[in-house]
């Protein structure tokens, strides 16, 4: 698609004027590429972001103050909100391009660049690849104007649970390093309801294809094929319980599983714990379970499932094994969380009035004037109760940022220890080792149908 404003052309403002570009980093040959700590902005950049936040807040208050002040139908008022926001964002775009153009850009020739001076046994230089993964994180942190939401919305988080996060991050890095040194495909499995099947969207812009287009080129530069095994079902499809029971047969061999069930019955605690244990001990990969809807009642860690009996040690043990989840959500919109977290305290989103006729449906933009996704697509955050292209991007980025950190760690291991040592440490014929706690819920008599929960080991799913 062609757009009037390309968010990835950092040398032009929307009017076509040339802008100052001496601070822009966009080539791996630049020694600054992938060097900075993501989210560590210069003082002048922080001042500029503070100024933008104040302007956005004033625009938000102006739009919201007009709510209900006329007798016009709400649909007309919504058009007025959008027009007012569009006018403001045109001004912000020009300010941003002229005063603080995007600094961290991705080298389009990165694959050929990282092939310089490859290590023995691989076709790439791990430290150059590491620089690219770091640059990508810097780009994400710049896009979201900080790392607070990217890191703070996952559990375990590096700020609230640093030791647990470090262990979970290492578990992810093991999965990546194992496939990289053996040069074998890496697969992401997706299980869930209509949010993950792409309802009310162009399928190409839904969750699984967006992951495919994003992670595939990143793993391609280190010689690893990538694919998504997607099995999102509509709300009237198979139940969560049946899907989890048959996850192995549905997904095949995967390295990480994303789960997300909305608007359908949740499985009991014992069933979900059984699913975690079976996935983590499945051969050959021991896939990690990363929940997208960790805020839902019924089975998530942070809404009471693991806390109802008081002791957190079992929950923490699963975190150490590599299990992760999205932590929480605003009640009205589970995708707003990443944008409602601000170093200023008062979030930029939602920028429109709430409380009438599902006002967030069809709104373009996330509060920070992202009117296109990073791929240049329509930036609707919610089509209705299903996320739009920008909502899908937000969900993906919460995990993508952490996966990039894990890839950096894998590159450091390859550089330090060498390919052969890692092949011996992470053999393909053995799944990654995992230390599981004693079952907390699924060890009871009522759940004897789950052999893994009685301490037996069948090497994976029972046929």
């Amino acid at each position: 698609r062609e757009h009037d404003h390309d968010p990835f052309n950092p040398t032009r403002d929307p009017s076509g004027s040339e802008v100052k570009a001496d601070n822009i980093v966009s080539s791996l040959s630049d020694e600054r590429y992938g060097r900075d700590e993501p989210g560590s902005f210069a003082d002048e950049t922080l001042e500029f972001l503070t100024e933008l936040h104040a302007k956005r807040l004033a625009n938000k208050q102006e739009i919201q103050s007009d709510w209900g002040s006329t007798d016009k139908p709400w649909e007309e008022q919504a058009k007025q909100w959008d027009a007012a926001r569009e006018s403001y964002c045109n001004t912000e775009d020009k300010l941003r391009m002229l005063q603080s153009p995007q600094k961290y850009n991705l080298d389009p020739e990165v694959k050929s660049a990282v092939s310089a001076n490859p290590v023995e046994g691989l076709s790439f230089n791990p430290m150059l690849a590491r620089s690219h993964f770091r640059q990508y994180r810097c780009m994400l942190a710049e896009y979201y104007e900080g790392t607070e939401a990217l890191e703070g919305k996952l559990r375990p988080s590096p700020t609230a649970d640093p030791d647990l996060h470090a262990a979970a991050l290492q578990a992810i890095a093991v999965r990546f390093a194992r496939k990289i040194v053996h040069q074998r495909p890496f697969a992401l499995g997706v299980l869930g309801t209509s949010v993950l099947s792409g309802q009310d969207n162009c399928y190409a812009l839904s969750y699984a294809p967006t992951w495919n287009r994003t992670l595939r080129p990143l793993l391609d530069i280190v010689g690893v094929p990538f694919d998504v095994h997607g099995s999102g079902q509509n709300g009237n499809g198979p139940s969560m319980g049946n899907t989890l029971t048959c996850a192995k047969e549905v997904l095949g061999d995967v390295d990480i599983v994303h789960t997300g069930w909305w608007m359908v019955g949740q499985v009991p605690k014992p069933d979900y714990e059984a699913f975690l244990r079976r996935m983590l001990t499945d051969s050959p990969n021991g896939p990690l379970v990363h929940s997208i809807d960790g805020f839902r009642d019924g089975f998530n860690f942070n809404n009471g499932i693991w806390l109802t009996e008081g002791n957190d040690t079992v929950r923490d043990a699963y975190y150490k094994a590599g299990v992760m989840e999205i932590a929480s959500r605003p009640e009205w919109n589970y995708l707003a969380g990443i944008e409602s977290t601000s170093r200023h305290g008062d979030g930029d989103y939602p920028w429109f009035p709430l409380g009438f006729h599902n006002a967030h449906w069809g709104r373009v933009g996330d509060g920070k004037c992202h009117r296109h996704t990073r791929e240049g697509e329509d930036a609707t955050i919610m089509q209705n109760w299903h996320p739009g292209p920008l909502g899908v991007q937000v969900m993906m980025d919460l995990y993508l940022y952490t996966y990039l950190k894990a890839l950096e760690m894998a590159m450091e291991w390859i550089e330090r220890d060498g390919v052969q040592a890692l092949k011996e440490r992470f053999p393909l014929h053995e799944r990654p080792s995992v230390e599981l706690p004693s079952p907390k819920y699924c060890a009871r008599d009522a759940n004897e149908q789950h052999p893994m929960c009685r301490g037996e080991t069948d090497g994976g799913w029972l046929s």
Side-chain angles (χ1 to χ4, degrees):
R1 292 175 57 181
E2 294 294 328
H3 296 281
D4 293 334
H5 166 47
D6 179 358
F8 281 93
N9 185 347
T11 60
R12 281 186 187 278
D13 74 14
S15 66
S17 303
E18 295 294 332
V19 300
K20 192 173 182 180
D22 55 356
N23 195 40
I24 292 172
V25 180
S26 57
S27 172
L28 195 56
S29 62
D30 188 327
E31 64 178 10
R32 298 172 298 168
Y33 194 94
R35 184 187 66 185
D36 292 346
E37 180 65 25
S40 297
F41 302 125
D43 289 344
E44 60 184 19
T45 301
L46 287 174
E47 291 176 7
F48 179 70
L49 293 178
T50 300
E51 175 189 350
L52 287 187
H53 174 75
K55 292 178 182 295
R56 289 188 204 124
L57 187 59
N59 177 256
K60 167 181 175 177
Q61 291 170 341
E62 180 181 355
I63 292 173
Q64 293 185 348
S65 67
D66 289 339
W67 168 243
S69 61
T70 73
D71 294 329
K72 293 180 180 179
W74 84 270
E75 292 89 347
E76 277 192 45
Q77 293 193 54
K79 291 179 182 178
Q80 292 178 347
W81 308 336
D82 293 344
R85 194 60 170 181
E86 179 76 9
S87 176
Y88 165 75
C89 286
N90 285 335
T91 301
E92 178 174 307
D93 282 352
K94 293 178 181 179
L95 283 172
R96 187 182 290 277
M97 286 296 187
L98 293 171
Q99 296 185 34
S100 185
Q102 180 174 314
K103 177 179 180 179
Y104 301 104
N105 300 273
L106 304 180
D107 188 339
E109 304 298 328
V110 63
K111 185 174 181 180
S112 60
V114 301
S115 64
N117 301 315
V119 297
E120 184 177 355
L122 294 174
S123 60
F124 63 91
N125 183 308
M127 297 316 287
L128 292 178
R130 177 187 178 276
S131 293
H132 182 65
F133 299 142
R134 172 67 67 89
Q135 180 80 353
Y136 206 120
R137 283 205 297 133
C138 286
M139 181 269 289
L140 289 176
E142 185 176 33
Y143 181 88
Y144 289 110
E145 300 180 4
T147 61
E148 292 88 350
L150 286 166
E151 295 187 321
K153 290 296 175 180
L154 288 185
R155 291 293 182 270
S157 79
T159 51
D161 317 288
D163 293 340
L164 296 176
H165 179 82
L169 184 65
Q170 179 162 307
I172 300 170
V174 167
R175 269 66 178 180
F176 280 125
R178 181 170 175 260
K179 293 302 182 70
I180 291 170
V181 296
H182 289 284
Q183 293 288 276
R184 298 297 296 272
F186 191 97
L188 170 68
V190 176
L191 293 174
T193 53
S194 54
V195 170
L196 300 184
S197 72
Q199 278 290 98
D200 298 319
N201 284 278
C202 170
Y203 179 70
L205 305 182
S206 63
Y207 192 73
T210 301
W211 266 110
N212 228 342
R213 291 192 303 276
T214 303
L215 199 51
R216 179 173 287 180
L218 286 166
L219 291 182
D220 183 55
I221 68 174
V222 293
V224 172
F226 173 73
D227 199 9
V228 178
H229 299 183
S231 184
Q233 304 285 332
N234 291 342
N236 61 353
S239 70
M240 180 180 179
N242 289 343
T243 305
L244 295 186
T245 299
C246 301
K248 173 68 173 180
E249 288 75 14
V250 170
L251 295 177
D253 291 332
V254 295
D255 299 274
I256 295 175
V257 180
H258 284 189
T259 65
W261 269 268
W262 296 264
M263 301 170 64
V264 298
Q266 310 297 314
V267 297
K269 303 171 188 177
D271 289 3
Y272 191 70
E273 187 178 18
F275 166 69
L276 291 182
R277 298 175 74 83
R278 290 183 180 220
M279 285 283 93
L280 291 168
T281 57
D282 176 49
S283 294
N285 299 325
L288 305 177
V289 178
H290 292 165
S291 173
I292 309 165
D293 59 347
F295 42 75
R296 292 294 294 177
D297 293 332
F299 66 91
N300 69 293
F301 296 147
N302 287 303
N303 252 6
I305 173 172
W306 302 106
L307 303 182
T308 51
E309 297 184 7
N311 195 331
D312 292 354
T313 57
V314 174
R315 177 204 64 184
D316 292 351
Y318 287 116
Y319 282 164
K320 288 179 181 178
V323 172
M324 300 189 81
E325 59 173 349
I326 292 179
S328 61
R329 68 179 177 104
E331 288 185 3
W332 62 274
N333 182 354
Y334 59 85
L335 294 174
I338 196 169
E339 292 296 352
S340 62
T341 300
S342 169
R343 61 167 51 88
H344 306 284
D346 190 343
D348 298 312
Y349 190 78
W351 53 263
F352 44 80
L354 290 175
F356 189 63
H357 279 289
N358 295 308
H360 58 291
W361 290 10
R363 301 277 72 75
V364 169
D366 55 10
K368 289 182 170 58
C369 286
H370 295 141
R371 290 170 295 163
H372 300 100
T373 67
R374 291 196 304 279
E375 294 183 300
E377 299 293 346
D378 163 51
T380 300
I381 195 164
M382 296 294 292
Q383 304 286 21
N384 41 44
W385 55 91
H386 294 124
L390 185 61
V392 168
Q393 178 183 280
V394 168
M395 285 198 297
M396 177 186 70
D397 286 347
L398 285 169
Y399 278 113
L400 176 62
Y401 187 83
T402 294
Y403 292 176
L404 288 163
K405 283 200 291 185
L407 282 166
E408 287 182 46
M409 183 180 292
M411 295 302 102
E412 292 166 0
W413 292 347
I414 293 172
E415 176 71 13
R416 184 191 67 200
D417 301 333
V419 174
Q420 188 57 41
L422 292 183
K423 283 184 175 181
E424 295 173 3
R425 190 185 310 168
F426 309 131
L428 273 179
H429 63 276
E430 296 179 10
R431 64 167 174 77
S433 62
V434 60
E435 294 184 12
L436 292 182
S438 297
K440 182 171 184 178
Y441 292 108
C442 60
R444 298 168 183 167
D445 292 341
N447 297 283
E448 290 185 356
Q449 67 271 29
H450 301 299
M452 283 301 297
C453 300
R454 298 202 307 270
E456 298 176 16
T457 302
D458 62 10
W461 288 89
L462 298 177
S463 60

